C-alpha cells in the first residue's frame, strides 16, 4: 500500500528533521512545520543561525564533526542558556568515513562530559 509523503510525515512514527544552513532556511523550516532542527557541524559556531534555530522552540540535534571539545562546550552552553531541548551527535566529517576512523570511544567522552544530554552517532561510512 502506498502512503503519500504528507500522510506518512504526519503520522506519529515519523518526524520531519530539517538542516538549515542560513537564517532564511530556519524560517523556511519553521514554516514547514518541522519537528526537529538539525544543526550541521559546519554550522555549530554560526551564532546567528543558532540564535534563530533556538528561537523556534523545537528540539535540536547538533552534530559535532570537526569540532574540538572547547567548541562543543560553547555549543552546549549556548543551547543550555536558551533552554533548548537538544541532543549531540558524534560524527566524523570525512565522507566516507572508514570504520576504523569512526572514533566511537569519543561517545563515552561526550556522555561523561555531558551526563544529562542524549548523545548519538551520525555516521558517514561507505555504503555496502
Amino acid at each position: 500500500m502506498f502512503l503519500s509523503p504528507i500522510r506518512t510525515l504526519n503520522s506519529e512514527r515519523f518526524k520531519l528533521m530539517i538542516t538549515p544552513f542560513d537564517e532564511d532556511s530556519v524560517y523556511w523550516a519553521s514554516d514547514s512545520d518541522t519537528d526537529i532542527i538539525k544543526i550541521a557541524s559546519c554550522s555549530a559556531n554560526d551564532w546567528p543561525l543558532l540564535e534563530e534555530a533556538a528561537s523556534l522552540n523545537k528540539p535540536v540535534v547538533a552534530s559535532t564533526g570537526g569540532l574540538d571539545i572547547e567548541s562543543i562546550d560553547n555549543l552546549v552552553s549556548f543551547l543550555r542558556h536558551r533552554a533548548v531541548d537538544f541532543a549531540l551527535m558524534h560524527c566524523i566529517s570525512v565522507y566516507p568515513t572508514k570504520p576504523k576512523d569512526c572514533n566511537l570511544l569519543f561517545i563515552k567522552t561526550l556522555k561523561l562530559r555531558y551526563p544529562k544530554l542524549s548523545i548519538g552517532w551520525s555516521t558517514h561510512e561507505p555504503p555496502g
Side-chain angles (χ1 to χ4, degrees):
M1 179 174 141
F2 174 77
L3 296 176
S4 75
I6 300 299
R7 182 172 172 195
T8 303
L9 288 175
N10 284 335
S11 79
E12 288 300 312
R13 293 184 54 185
F14 296 95
K15 301 293 180 192
L16 175 62
M17 182 162 54
I18 295 176
T19 305
F21 289 96
D22 56 32
E23 292 91 290
D24 286 341
S25 299
V26 174
Y27 306 137
W28 181 84
S30 178
D31 290 343
S32 299
D33 250 354
T34 187
D35 298 297
I36 302 165
I37 299 294
K38 165 78 166 42
I39 302 298
S41 52
C42 64
S43 301
N45 61 3
D46 182 342
W47 305 115
L49 180 138
L50 291 168
E51 196 70 60
E52 290 304 321
S55 74
L56 294 183
N57 294 319
K58 302 274 187 183
V60 168
V61 172
S63 285
T64 62
L67 301 178
D68 60 23
I69 199 71
E70 182 180 351
S71 296
I72 298 170
D73 284 345
N74 289 338
L75 177 62
V76 168
S77 177
F78 181 92
L79 295 170
R80 280 183 173 161
H81 281 94
R82 284 153 185 81
V84 174
D85 178 17
F86 72 101
L88 293 179
M89 298 295 282
H90 166 62
C91 74
I92 303 297
S93 295
V94 175
Y95 301 83
T97 305
K98 295 176 183 169
K100 68 180 180 78
D101 296 328
C102 287
N103 193 20
L104 294 179
L105 285 176
F106 191 65
I107 294 171
K108 183 176 181 180
T109 300
L110 292 173
K111 290 180 101 167
L112 289 171
R113 192 169 189 94
Y114 314 110
K116 295 182 181 181
L117 286 184
S118 292
I119 308 292
W121 178 36
S122 175
T123 179
H124 306 117
E125 80 276 359

